[in-house]
């Protein structure tokens, strides 16, 4: 069949809207009509050429929602008409990682996913007879896409596609980093570095978890009001303070008889390795946990004095907020439907597929929180 898609033919070039060819679902796969897709900073990261796993040409996009329109042989958990969210972190429930209960990083299809192909080693997408790569196993910048059944979450059919697509990455990553990865407790102090589409969801997760002090850190003063909307209690713009942001946060969080400062939990939501170090060092001596969410480009490395870890700080990372997609994503959609979490205000811009490059532009300019393409 044909599908309208935004194709990344080359790194660093705008996406091109073309009609691609799409083969139907094979055994264990489902064909999905994508109704809406968000544009995440990770799409921009890969398009820019910074992603060591980046492949071109490819159909990017990993934050979608849509409807199952066909199923391949052997599919048991989905049927035509189901409303679904594609998962870049599948949940096979059979691999050693899934069975370990210690991680959400299912290994069932990770190697082929990283090679831009389906589990059988081939791509379902082509253009003028040439292969187009899948991206993060999702390729939601195509009106139709194919995914393995294990990489699809069935969700509440009453939920609006143009909002719940964001659960496919940003919402789940931010809230999950707080709940699943950091396991933040009531009364905690926290600092969130980078108040974009992910950082604001970390803030909303912290509020949900009952954190007392929620410090937002961003170079863009426009983000102060955004953070406050979701529960941020203090804002720091590192370019406007006297001295170092680490000392500033440590000072703000001093408490107890010994007056030792540092946040109980810090989160990097920038992808900047220098900020990752600041976040670690702004966490509390003895127990502070710093969670890396941001994705850094090829060749970039993190560093700190080992003494920071010797003295009890914990450096962790999280992918998809530690969420098990088929189990957790339907629950998060229902939290949204029940009014427990907000999504609507963060979707600042919507556009048709033809204007997808404007969505990337808005992200570059720091003008959007999330842009959503509606098919
Ligand atoms: P975004 O562009 O919407 O937001 C980034 C924010 O960081 C902006 O508000 C920007 O002003 C701020 N910022 C930039 N440099 C800063 C600095 N030096 N100090 C303080 N603030 C600074 O991006 P996003 O969509 O929120 O994504 C954030 C990061 O998370 C990206 O690296 C993205 O690739 C990554 N990500 C990771 C996962 C995961 O599973 N680990 C999931 C989604 C996104
Ligand atoms: N391909 C990159 C890493 C990109 C990355 O870390 N991706 C996150 C999701 S970001 C979503 O917006 C992730 O899930 N990582 C775990 C995984 O298995 O990819 C690189 O550096 O090679
Ligand atoms: Zn993402």
């Amino acid at each position: 069949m044909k599908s309208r898609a935004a194709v990344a033919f080359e790194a660093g070039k705008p996406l091109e809207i073309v009609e691609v060819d799409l083969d139907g679902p094979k055994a264990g796969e489902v064909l999905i009509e994508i109704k809406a897709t968000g544009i995440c900073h990770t799409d921009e990261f890969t398009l820019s050429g910074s992603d060591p796993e980046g492949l071109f040409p490819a159909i990017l996009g990993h934050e979608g929602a849509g409807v199952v329109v066909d199923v391949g042989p052997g599919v048991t958990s989905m049927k035509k008409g189901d409303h679904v969210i594609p998962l870049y972190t599948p949940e096979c429930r059979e691999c050693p990682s899934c069975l370990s209960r210690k991680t959400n990083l299912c290994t069932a299809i990770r190697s082929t996913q990283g090679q831009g192909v389906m589990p059988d080693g081939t791509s379902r997408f082509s253009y003028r007879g040439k292969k187009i790569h899948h991206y993060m196993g999702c390729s939601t910048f195509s009106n139709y896409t194919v995914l393995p059944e294990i990489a699809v979450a069935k969700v509440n059919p009453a939920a609006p596609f143009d909002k719940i697509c964001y659960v496919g990455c940003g919402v789940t990553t931010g809230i999950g980093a707080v709940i699943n990865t950091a396991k933040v407790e009531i009364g905690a102090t926290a600092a969130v570095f980078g108040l974009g589409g992910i950082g604001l969801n970390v803030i909303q997760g912290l509020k949900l978890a009952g954190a007392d002090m929620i410090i937002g850190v961003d170079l863009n003063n426009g983000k102060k009001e955004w953070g406050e909307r979701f529960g941020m209690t203090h804002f720091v713009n590192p370019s406007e303070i006297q001295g170092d942001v680490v000392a500033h946060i440590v000072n703000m969080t001093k408490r107890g008889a010994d007056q030792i400062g540092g946040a109980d939990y810090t989160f990097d939501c920038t992808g900047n390795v220098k900020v990752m170090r600041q976040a670690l060092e702004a966490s509390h001596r003895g127990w502070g946990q710093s969670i890396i969410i941001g994705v850094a480009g090829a060749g970039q490395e993190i560093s700190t004095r080992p003494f920071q870890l010797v003295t009890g700080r914990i450096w962790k990372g999280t992918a998809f907020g530690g969420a098990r997609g088929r189990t957790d994503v339907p629950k998060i959609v229902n939290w949204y439907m029940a009014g427990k979490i907000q999504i609507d205000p963060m979707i600042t811009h919507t556009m048709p597929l033809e204007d997808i490059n404007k969505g990337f532009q808005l992200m570059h300019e720091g003008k959007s929180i999330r842009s959503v393409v509606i098919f």
Side-chain angles (χ1 to χ4, degrees):
M1 68 179 288
K2 298 279 184 192
S3 176
R4 247 169 7 107
V7 180
F9 283 101
E10 270 183 72
K13 295 273 168 65
L15 303 181
E16 288 181 41
I17 316 302
V18 297
E19 274 217 325
V20 297
D21 290 295
L22 176 62
D23 291 338
K26 295 192 181 173
E29 298 175 359
V30 298
L31 174 67
I32 299 167
E33 179 185 357
I34 297 292
K35 298 282 193 182
T37 178
I39 304 173
C40 172
H41 203 118
T42 307
D43 297 307
E44 155 57 23
F45 162 78
T46 303
L47 182 59
S48 74
S50 299
D51 183 351
E53 281 192 311
L55 295 164
F56 298 89
I59 298 174
L60 304 178
H62 60 282
E63 198 172 74
V67 182
V68 173
V69 289
D70 197 8
V71 299
V75 169
T76 55
S77 63
M78 305 272 146
K79 59 179 187 318
K80 283 182 201 179
D82 282 343
H83 290 205
V84 293
I85 289 182
L87 302 170
Y88 60 85
T89 307
E91 182 186 352
C92 75
R93 299 172 176 162
E94 286 174 356
C95 72
S97 290
C98 284
L99 292 175
S100 76
R101 309 300 298 160
K102 292 180 181 176
T103 177
N104 66 328
L105 295 175
C106 174
T107 53
I109 58 171
R110 181 62 183 84
S111 66
T112 47
Q113 187 171 311
Q115 293 158 35
V117 290
M118 295 296 284
D120 71 350
T122 63
S123 175
R124 303 286 162 274
F125 291 110
S126 59
Y127 179 62
R128 293 182 176 162
K130 289 201 175 139
K131 166 176 159 179
I132 307 257
H133 293 97
H134 295 248
Y135 174 65
M136 291 176 71
C138 294
S139 293
T140 58
F141 294 168
S142 174
N143 198 180
Y144 292 86
T145 188
V146 172
L147 277 100
E149 175 184 21
I150 59 164
V152 180
K154 194 173 3 176
V155 298
N156 186 339
F161 297 115
D162 60 340
K163 306 296 187 303
I164 60 160
C165 57
Y166 198 8
V167 178
C169 183
V171 173
T172 304
T173 298
I175 294 178
V178 174
I179 292 172
N180 302 319
T181 310
K183 299 187 170 65
V184 171
E185 70 282 356
I186 292 174
T189 59
V192 183
F193 291 71
L195 306 181
I198 305 302
L200 292 178
N201 277 294
V202 171
I203 288 182
Q204 122 157 286
L206 287 164
K207 182 82 183 155
L208 205 63
D212 272 355
M213 189 177 191
I214 305 175
I215 304 167
V217 183
D218 206 296
L219 296 168
N220 177 350
N221 281 334
K223 298 297 172 89
K224 179 172 183 285
E225 207 180 315
W226 275 106
E228 285 168 351
R229 260 172 111 161
F230 299 102
M232 182 184 79
T233 58
H234 301 72
F235 178 71
V236 177
N237 181 335
S239 68
E240 291 185 352
I241 53 168
Q242 296 276 324
D244 168 49
V245 67
V246 173
H248 190 83
I249 292 173
V250 167
N251 203 35
M252 283 171 82
T253 49
K254 277 188 179 156
R255 58 206 185 277
D258 54 14
Q259 283 294 291
I260 292 181
D264 297 322
Y265 300 95
T266 65
F267 299 83
D268 166 70
C269 313
T270 69
N272 178 324
V273 292
K274 292 202 172 79
V275 175
M276 293 175 191
R277 178 178 191 154
Q278 292 168 349
L280 175 82
E281 297 181 1
S283 73
H284 199 284
R285 182 181 188 278
W287 65 74
Q289 287 194 36
S290 188
I291 316 298
I292 293 178
I293 304 177
V295 166
Q300 305 223 327
E301 293 184 349
I302 48 171
S303 62
T304 191
R305 285 192 67 217
F307 185 64
Q308 295 286 335
L309 306 185
V310 166
T311 49
R313 293 171 193 81
I314 299 163
W315 224 344
K316 280 186 178 179
T318 185
F320 198 35
R324 293 183 172 80
R326 289 161 76 198
T327 305
D328 295 338
V329 161
K331 289 185 195 164
I332 296 174
V333 167
N334 285 336
W335 293 352
Y336 164 70
M337 294 301 280
K340 280 190 187 175
I341 59 167
Q342 299 184 63
I343 294 183
D344 300 19
M346 294 188 216
I347 297 174
T348 49
H349 300 79
T350 59
M351 59 207 60
L353 185 66
E354 285 64 29
D355 291 341
I356 192 167
N357 290 303
K358 287 187 193 158
F360 282 86
Q361 189 60 34
L362 288 161
M363 184 195 293
H364 282 296
E365 293 168 356
K367 289 185 177 160
S368 57
I369 300 300
R370 257 319 183 251
S371 290
V372 166
V373 169
I374 300 175
F375 285 92

